[in-house]
Amino acid sequence: VHVLIVYAHPEPKSFNGAMRDLAVSVLGELGHTVEVSDLYAMNFRAGAGRGDFLEAADGDYFNYLKEEMHAAEGGGFSEDIRGEQEKLMAADFLILQFPLWWFSTPAILKGWVERVMAVGFAYDRQRRFDNGVFRGRRAMLSLSAGGPAAAYSAGGISGNLEVVLWPLQNGVLNFVGYQVLPPFIAFGLARGDAEARQAILSDYEARLRGLDDVQPLAFHHLDDFDDTFRLKPDVMAKTAGQGWGR
Amino acid sequence: VHVLIVYAHPEPKSFNGAMRDLAVSVLGELGHTVEVSDLYAMNFRAGAGRGDFLEAADGDYFNYLKEEMHAAEGGGFSEDIRGEQEKLMAADFLILQFPLWWFSTPAILKGWVERVMAVGFAYDRQRRFDNGVFRGRRAMLSLSAGGPAAAYSAGGISGNLEVVLWPLQNGVLNFVGYQVLPPFIAFGLARGDAEARQAILSDYEARLRGLDDVQPLAFHHLDDFDDTFRLKPDVMAKTAGQGWGR
């Protein structure tokens, strides 16, 4: 298995850095090959713009999707984007490693998603969700969260973490076709001591060693939805009360 | 009322640009003063980093929160951040105007939140949620979404839009103390014709003219939560089934 870790933390000695290093080492020991995109070290540009394309499909009106499609059809992406797309296409397993900042990824990682997962490359109207480009591959969020787990539970002040991560897990990873493994979350590091940190790293190592036994998150299939992109009534009736957000 | 519109779209002639222009014109006509931060035009830097601070609290280990706190206590923020903080502090009403990209704000706007809403300036342990720095002020998301409204409804393939926007509306705006007005959303522009666009702009104008009559979104109060940041059992019992995500 070839693994890509997209890592977004500005401090190499951070706990996220330790999680990245652990994953590289454990996955390598298990016989996998691992590549890391260290976005801060690469000074990866976060803002999507004209510079993302070798030529313009429309020099007068900048429609990002239209320019992406043109680039995917032969116009060409900028070198930094093309490099990341090649890494992504080569990877059977994708890990996004980041601190939860403002209930989401750091902007630099959001920019990676926007610029790299281009329409025509990572998805199009026909290829998405269970028909997605990355179907048959797996992906996982690995993150640290400053608050305690209780704050992110049902009834917690920050809201259920499944809700907080929905835009990423459904809207990005499931959308482009990945099987999404449950996230690994390091809670409460703001107050954590060395022992607590070591315990979390041990848990993460166990998760990494047991990846094949982890059940992916459940998402509805495309044909559960009708032509207006809503769940069919019989599916809705069967699953009522089982999920949140639908 | 002094209004700040933080606008994140790379194309000035875009529909988001038209929404921004309409807001500037209508709010001005109503006697308010309006300032716009046009993040793409400003080439606003999205990635949080060392350059955000005039001096380092810890030159060996980069902890963003620690550096923010040091800057807020007198060390000083970079000029671009300080400028945005002054605009934010001067505004009674904040509008974030953006296209929904990957179920969230464009990275450039996520970076604005990360860098501008610094701990020690926009919040701290004592000042957040209903004790927040911006209590008594109002904020609103104004966005375009490519898909049809049905896709973002309960049962929709993209999930309830309230869930999609929870990280922004609770995790950012409610967190720093704003009263959050219901979002204004322009759906389905990917397929929209000129007439559809004009209808949406008319709706937006009506919303802007009727802002004083709009009921803010409901969030739990801080004292609904116990010391572990979970809803108190009696509150939970009273509100069970009324919300999602908790």
Side-chain angles (χ1 to χ4, degrees):
Chain A
V1 171
H2 185 63
V3 185
L4 174 62
I5 302 176
V6 182
Y7 163 74
H9 199 290
E11 173 53 57
K13 297 189 288 289
S14 65
F15 193 76
N16 275 269
M19 293 178 81
R20 171 204 58 189
D21 292 345
L22 181 71
V24 169
S25 142
V26 170
L27 294 171
E29 198 189 302
L30 292 170
H32 308 308
T33 51
V34 186
E35 191 158 25
V36 177
S37 286
D38 182 341
L39 301 185
Y40 269 97
M42 295 157 70
N43 200 17
F44 191 80
R45 189 156 64 78
R50 282 276 187 204
D52 296 354
F53 310 104
L54 298 187
E55 54 182 53
D58 184 341
D60 180 53
Y61 186 102
F62 184 58
N63 177 319
Y64 198 70
L65 296 178
K66 184 173 175 179
E67 298 296 336
E68 284 184 326
M69 190 58 90
H70 180 76
E73 285 167 351
F77 292 94
S78 62
E79 200 178 319
D80 60 342
I81 293 180
R82 201 177 61 247
E84 293 303 300
Q85 288 177 337
E86 285 167 6
K87 290 184 200 171
L88 191 58
M89 208 37 104
D92 309 294
F93 182 41
L94 171 68
I95 298 177
L96 302 183
Q97 177 68 55
F98 61 96
L100 193 70
W101 284 355
W102 292 100
F103 285 40
S104 185
T105 64
I108 200 170
L109 177 51
K110 177 58 166 57
W112 183 90
V113 170
E114 278 171 26
R115 299 178 64 225
V116 174
M117 290 192 167
V119 65
F121 164 75
Y123 71 97
D124 57 33
R125 201 168 285 275
Q126 277 68 48
R127 299 177 300 161
R128 48 185 189 164
F129 295 110
D130 32 354
N131 296 327
V133 169
F134 298 93
R135 65 185 177 279
R137 310 186 193 202
R138 294 180 302 169
M140 182 174 87
L141 304 181
S142 177
L143 58 138
S144 64
Y152 295 98
S153 64
I157 195 167
S158 299
N160 191 329
L161 198 62
E162 286 190 71
V163 169
V164 173
L165 298 180
W166 171 260
L168 291 164
Q169 297 193 139
N170 180 63
V172 178
L173 300 176
N174 181 47
F175 179 76
V176 298
Y178 285 107
Q179 287 203 307
V180 186
L181 301 189
F184 185 87
I185 302 152
F187 283 109
L189 285 172
R191 302 173 182 184
D193 57 13
E195 204 174 320
R197 286 167 188 251
Q198 192 48 57
I200 295 172
L201 289 176
S202 298
D203 286 349
Y204 190 42
E205 179 169 351
R207 160 65 75 91
L208 292 167
R209 290 189 182 277
L211 280 176
D212 289 342
D213 304 323
V214 176
Q215 192 69 18
L217 300 177
F219 292 95
H220 279 290
H221 295 290
L222 259 185
D223 56 15
D224 288 344
F225 297 92
D226 63 21
D227 291 346
T228 69
F229 305 109
R230 297 198 61 201
L231 280 177
K232 293 171 181 168
D234 59 318
V235 177
M236 184 101 83
K238 257 188 294 188
T239 59
Q242 288 177 30
W244 45 267
R246 279 206 171 114
Chain B
V1 170
H2 185 63
V3 185
L4 173 62
I5 301 176
V6 182
Y7 163 75
H9 199 291
E11 173 53 56
K13 297 188 288 290
S14 65
F15 192 76
N16 275 269
M19 292 176 81
R20 171 204 57 188
D21 292 344
L22 181 70
V24 169
S25 140
V26 170
L27 294 171
E29 197 188 301
L30 291 170
H32 308 308
T33 52
V34 187
E35 190 158 26
V36 176
S37 286
D38 181 341
L39 300 185
Y40 270 96
M42 294 157 71
N43 200 19
F44 191 80
R45 189 157 63 78
R50 282 276 187 203
D52 296 355
F53 310 104
L54 298 187
E55 55 182 51
D58 183 342
D60 180 53
Y61 186 102
F62 184 60
N63 177 319
Y64 198 69
L65 295 178
K66 185 174 174 178
E67 298 296 336
E68 284 183 326
M69 191 57 90
H70 180 76
E73 285 167 352
F77 292 93
S78 62
E79 199 177 321
D80 59 342
I81 293 181
R82 201 176 61 248
E84 293 304 299
Q85 288 177 338
E86 284 167 7
K87 290 185 201 170
L88 191 58
M89 207 40 101
D92 309 294
F93 182 41
L94 172 68
I95 298 177
L96 302 182
Q97 177 67 55
F98 61 96
L100 193 69
W101 283 356
W102 292 99
F103 284 41
S104 184
T105 64
I108 200 169
L109 178 51
K110 178 59 167 54
W112 183 89
V113 170
E114 280 171 25
R115 299 178 65 225
V116 174
M117 288 191 169
V119 65
F121 164 74
Y123 71 97
D124 58 32
R125 202 169 284 275
Q126 276 68 48
R127 299 177 301 161
R128 47 186 191 164
F129 296 110
D130 31 355
N131 297 326
V133 169
F134 298 93
R135 66 186 176 279
R137 308 186 193 203
R138 294 180 302 169
M140 182 175 86
L141 304 181
S142 176
L143 57 139
S144 64
Y152 295 98
S153 63
I157 196 166
S158 299
N160 191 328
L161 198 62
E162 284 190 73
V163 169
V164 173
L165 299 180
W166 171 259
L168 291 164
Q169 297 194 139
N170 180 63
V172 178
L173 300 177
N174 181 47
F175 179 76
V176 298
Y178 285 106
Q179 286 204 307
V180 187
L181 301 189
F184 185 88
I185 303 153
F187 284 109
L189 285 172
R191 301 173 182 185
D193 56 13
E195 203 174 320
R197 286 167 188 251
Q198 192 48 56
I200 295 172
L201 290 177
S202 298
D203 286 350
Y204 190 42
E205 179 169 351
R207 160 66 73 91
L208 292 168
R209 290 189 182 277
L211 280 176
D212 289 341
D213 305 322
V214 176
Q215 190 68 19
L217 300 178
F219 292 94
H220 279 290
H221 295 291
L222 260 185
D223 56 14
D224 288 344
F225 297 93
D226 63 21
D227 291 346
T228 69
F229 306 108
R230 297 197 62 201
L231 280 177
K232 293 173 182 169
D234 60 318
V235 177
M236 183 102 82
K238 257 188 292 188
T239 58
Q242 288 178 30
W244 44 267
R246 280 204 172 116

